[in-house]
């Protein structure tokens, strides 16, 4: 009878015990306004999946898209200023 052995090292929880680094947490914190705006847009779109969007729904989606665009613009501008580029 042949035995079956793993050809790769085992992945254990100990290798991931460190969690995210401070730099990764800072990056997430900087992107949080964009993440929240995306969630808001998804919520507005999900509400209209099973029905015909009303005028109020269309406004809600349009405003959520505008918030996403503004959050992405602000994040890009912050990244440009922090890297020393001209804004």
């Amino acid at each position: 009878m042949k035995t079956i052995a793993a050809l790769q090292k085992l992945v254990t929880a100990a290798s991931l015990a460190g969690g995210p680094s401070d730099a990764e947490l800072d990056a997430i914190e900087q992107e949080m306004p964009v993440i929240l705006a995306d969630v808001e847009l998804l919520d507005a779109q999900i509400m209209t999946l099973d029905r015909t969007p009303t005028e109020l729904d269309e406004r809600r989606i349009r405003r959520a898209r505008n918030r996403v665009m503004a959050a992405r613009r602000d994040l890009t501008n912050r990244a440009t200023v922090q890297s020393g580029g001209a804004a």
Side-chain angles (χ1 to χ4, degrees):
M1 177 188 258
K2 283 183 147 182
T3 59
I4 300 173
L7 299 176
Q8 299 174 348
K9 293 181 181 181
L10 294 176
V11 177
T12 62
S15 65
L16 302 175
S21 68
D22 289 339
E24 291 169 332
L25 290 174
D26 289 340
I28 292 170
E29 187 175 334
Q30 286 181 351
E31 293 178 13
M32 191 55 68
V34 176
I35 294 168
L36 294 175
D38 282 332
V39 168
E40 187 177 336
L41 175 58
L42 284 172
D43 285 344
Q45 291 171 333
I46 288 170
M47 288 190 324
T48 62
L49 284 178
D50 61 346
R51 65 175 191 220
T52 304
T54 64
E55 185 179 334
L56 180 63
D57 293 329
E58 290 173 0
R59 273 193 252 156
R60 185 177 292 127
I61 290 171
R62 185 174 53 248
R63 288 179 181 151
R65 281 188 186 138
N66 289 339
R67 283 198 261 316
V68 169
M69 299 274 277
R72 288 181 182 173
R73 180 198 62 219
D74 294 343
L75 180 64
T76 302
N77 287 342
R78 270 195 310 260
T80 304
V81 169
Q82 287 178 356
S83 67

